[in-house]
Amino acid sequence: MPKAIFGKLALTLALCLGLALPAWADAPQMKMTTPIAPGVMVPDKVETSIGALNLHYGYPDDATTQKVYDNLDASRALQAYLLAIPIVNQVGMRDTLSKFGPVNQTDVIWEDLVDSKTVELTANDNTIYSFIWLDTKKGPLVVEIPPMVLGLIDDFWYKWVADVGITGPDHGKGGKYLILPPGYQGEIPQGYFVVRPSTYGSWMPFRSFLVKGSTKPGVEAVKKHLKIYQLADKDNPPKMKFVNASGIPANFVPPSDYAFWGMLNQVIQEEPSAGSDPTTLGLFASIGIEKGKPFNPDGRMKKILTDAAKIGSVTARAIAFRIRDKNAFFYPNSPWRLPFFGGYKFEAAPGVANLDGAIFFYYIATGVTPAMAEKMVGKGSQYPWCAQDAKGNPFDGAKNYKLHLPPNVPVKDFWSVIVYDNQTRSMIQTDQRFPSVSSQNKNLMINQDGSVDVYFGPKPPQGKANNWVQTIPGKGWFMILRLYGPLEPWFNQTWKPAAIEPLP
């Protein structure tokens, strides 16, 4: 292409795009000069969302270099924050459990059910929780699981490792599980269900069930059968410590501010990298969190990380409460949301991560297992939930609302409605110890046609206190409808709850 024509094309392109004329537009025509495809070269001045970027024949000047690196670090910090939410959640869980007693020896059990003094992501008050932190740094652990419990093991990266109890290999009969350290190559004795987490630390929660409304049989069974000990101590296991957490103020929700980064660094230093993936670990390393190295950001980086934590926290809240993925909803044009989308692995397709599905779940919930995501008619549980009313507005603690459950709620066991605080994502703390209404409630009011109405508001409707959950003016809330032993009408959508209506 002749030099004059090449120069005119460059000038025309620059003028059309409002760009400064690049220095190379009038470059001398050399023997080896050939036309360069559009988009390869960069103008000397580029207008962007982060301001003007200035270069000299493709070489960024000092101010532009600083600007793009600040933007790069901020972008990586935000993504690192969102990917680290599950890991930091596990730190919060481990740290709080350790306050009740030593790891591997302590069962934090809510003998009188979880109440609103426990700040824990979307816990329920329908079953007896046991929370246990396992650590295999000293070698293989044996866990003797009680009969008739429903539980799981999630590693420190918050990935599902195994189910225990009813949905586990013991099928609710109880049994001995052998938890191995990462990379364990030693001899494995017979007679155990073998579990191989990718991390030393793992969280093992399980649920026991009420018998005729009483927690006593379930609690007694756990205390009789649960044992945890090093494989080397199998002939002389230490005594378990059981701590009743019901009614005890406790916080299992980690901070979302700058302290978040220190908690993440703690895990990266403690745990083997093999359980994660190179891209995630690379993001963490790019902001100064890398195994074997001190986390000591300078003033510039600390400012970026502080800002990323603020933006990340609000981003997680937007994804959790105002998700834009239509696959997150049970029904078209309905506020009823799925608890899992993308399955328990949070995948948009096999091998493709569903990033928003993971962020949403880990920000408001705990406990990852296939048993909560798969269709199991008459078994397991389902968790439809709502953060908006029938008009699409967020719930206002000063207003009154009604949820209508049509007749024949499709459950083999029971259903419950629990209200949570938007800020803590934990049970709303009001004058009610248990902010819930359930078919287990002896005084539940049932309509003549078999339907049930549940009310929400600062004060109960006259004569409806047994079907009412208290809310607080000035505070927002959301709710979960739990279906235990869901039946086919739930799965084929021939039964569905009405949207929650605001009352006059």
Side-chain angles (χ1 to χ4, degrees):
M1 180 181 294
K3 175 182 176 182
I5 297 176
F6 185 78
K8 285 182 179 180
L9 284 175
L11 176 61
T12 302
L13 178 62
L15 292 175
C16 289
L17 297 178
L19 304 174
L21 182 64
W24 46 262
D26 197 34
Q29 194 78 1
M30 311 299 287
K31 288 183 179 180
M32 299 301 292
T33 299
T34 60
I36 304 300
V40 174
M41 293 179 140
V42 180
D44 287 347
K45 184 174 184 179
V46 181
E47 296 292 345
T48 73
S49 62
I50 61 172
L53 305 178
N54 298 304
L55 308 94
H56 178 70
Y57 199 73
Y59 189 91
D61 66 16
D62 291 348
T64 289
T65 299
Q66 186 65 53
K67 189 178 293 185
V68 296
Y69 273 131
D70 285 347
N71 182 66
L72 179 62
D73 288 341
S75 299
R76 286 176 172 169
L78 174 59
Q79 293 307 316
Y81 183 97
L82 296 174
L83 288 172
I85 287 173
I87 302 171
V88 175
N89 276 0
Q90 288 287 58
V91 183
M93 180 66 67
R94 191 267 306 270
D95 289 356
T96 299
L97 288 176
S98 66
K99 294 176 183 177
F100 287 93
V103 301
N104 297 337
Q105 290 179 248
T106 308
D107 177 12
V108 179
I109 181 171
W110 282 262
E111 296 184 23
D112 305 302
L113 305 178
V114 176
D115 58 44
S116 55
K117 285 190 176 182
T118 297
V119 180
E120 157 65 11
L121 297 177
T122 52
N124 77 58
D125 59 13
N126 309 120
T127 57
I128 307 157
Y129 276 147
S130 284
F131 282 8
I132 300 156
W133 192 264
L134 305 175
D135 191 298
T136 60
K137 286 189 180 71
K138 294 182 179 180
L141 279 177
V142 177
V143 179
E144 295 189 14
I145 291 293
M148 293 310 296
V149 301
L150 181 67
L152 56 94
I153 297 175
D154 289 340
D155 68 15
F156 221 141
W157 307 120
Y158 226 135
K159 295 177 181 175
W160 176 75
V161 182
D163 278 356
V164 299
I166 295 170
T167 55
D170 68 278
H171 302 296
K173 297 177 182 178
K176 294 181 180 181
Y177 288 74
L178 184 62
I179 319 300
L180 299 178
Y184 181 77
Q185 298 295 323
E187 183 180 349
I188 300 175
Q190 298 294 316
Y192 297 92
F193 301 115
V194 178
V195 180
R196 293 181 178 271
S198 64
T199 54
Y200 293 108
S202 295
W203 178 48
M204 184 180 72
F206 60 78
R207 289 182 277 180
S208 311
F209 299 91
L210 278 64
V211 178
K212 297 181 179 179
S214 173
T215 62
K216 186 176 180 180
V219 171
E220 289 180 345
V222 170
K223 291 184 176 181
K224 179 180 179 181
H225 295 283
L226 178 65
K227 295 179 182 178
I228 303 172
Y229 47 89
Q230 302 293 144
L231 179 62
D233 298 331
K234 61 183 175 60
D235 296 326
N236 188 29
K239 187 177 180 180
M240 284 292 298
K241 179 179 181 180
F242 295 93
V243 181
N244 182 6
S246 294
I248 305 298
N251 175 57
F252 292 86
V253 180
S256 57
D257 56 11
Y258 182 80
F260 180 99
W261 300 114
M263 297 176 80
L264 171 62
N265 180 64
Q266 185 180 356
V267 183
I268 296 302
Q269 302 307 327
E270 290 179 9
E271 294 291 350
S273 300
S276 187
D277 63 88
T279 299
T280 298
L281 294 174
L283 274 173
F284 297 161
S286 74
I287 59 170
I289 297 176
E290 187 174 0
K291 190 172 183 65
K293 296 183 179 180
F295 174 54
N296 188 26
D298 59 19
R300 169 187 165 275
M301 198 64 200
K302 188 171 183 179
K303 183 178 179 182
I304 287 174
L305 292 173
T306 300
D307 191 52
K310 294 176 181 178
I311 296 171
S313 176
V314 177
T315 300
R317 287 180 177 276
I319 291 171
F321 294 125
R322 308 192 69 176
I323 190 77
R324 57 187 178 179
D325 188 340
K326 293 181 179 179
N327 293 323
F329 295 85
F330 275 107
Y331 323 105
N333 303 314
S334 168
W336 286 103
R337 293 270 305 273
L338 291 156
F340 286 88
F341 55 107
Y344 74 96
K345 292 183 178 179
F346 307 107
E347 292 181 326
V352 180
N354 188 321
L355 297 176
D356 286 358
I359 292 164
F360 145 68
F361 181 85
Y362 288 118
Y363 198 69
I364 72 164
T366 58
V368 176
T369 167
M372 286 166 48
E374 296 177 356
K375 176 181 177 180
M376 295 190 294
V377 178
K379 299 179 181 179
S381 46
Q382 290 286 302
Y383 303 91
W385 70 285
C386 267
Q388 291 89 25
D389 66 20
K391 297 180 180 180
N393 298 316
F395 296 120
D396 183 341
K399 296 181 179 180
N400 298 302
Y401 300 86
K402 182 178 78 170
L403 164 64
H404 181 72
L405 300 175
N408 303 315
V409 179
V411 290
K412 178 184 176 184
D413 301 319
F414 64 94
W415 59 263
S416 78
V417 168
I418 303 179
V419 171
Y420 300 94
D421 185 309
N422 282 353
Q423 287 283 16
T424 64
R425 292 91 71 204
S426 304
M427 289 183 188
I428 190 169
Q429 295 180 329
T430 65
D431 294 330
Q432 293 177 317
R433 182 181 180 186
F434 302 108
S436 63
V437 172
S438 169
S439 60
Q440 290 182 315
N441 297 357
K442 294 179 180 179
N443 297 320
L444 179 72
M445 298 179 64
I446 301 174
N447 300 325
Q448 287 187 349
D449 65 353
S451 65
V452 176
D453 294 318
V454 180
Y455 298 88
F456 312 89
K459 295 182 180 180
Q462 189 171 2
K464 304 291 179 61
N466 292 329
N467 288 37
W468 164 73
V469 183
Q470 187 177 15
T471 60
I472 304 172
K475 290 192 174 185
W477 56 273
F478 66 99
M479 57 75 64
I480 298 178
L481 168 62
R482 286 177 166 85
L483 305 173
Y484 292 92
L487 301 176
E488 189 61 41
W490 167 253
F491 294 105
N492 65 24
Q493 298 189 3
T494 55
W495 183 96
K496 65 180 181 179
I500 297 175
E501 296 282 352
L503 296 175

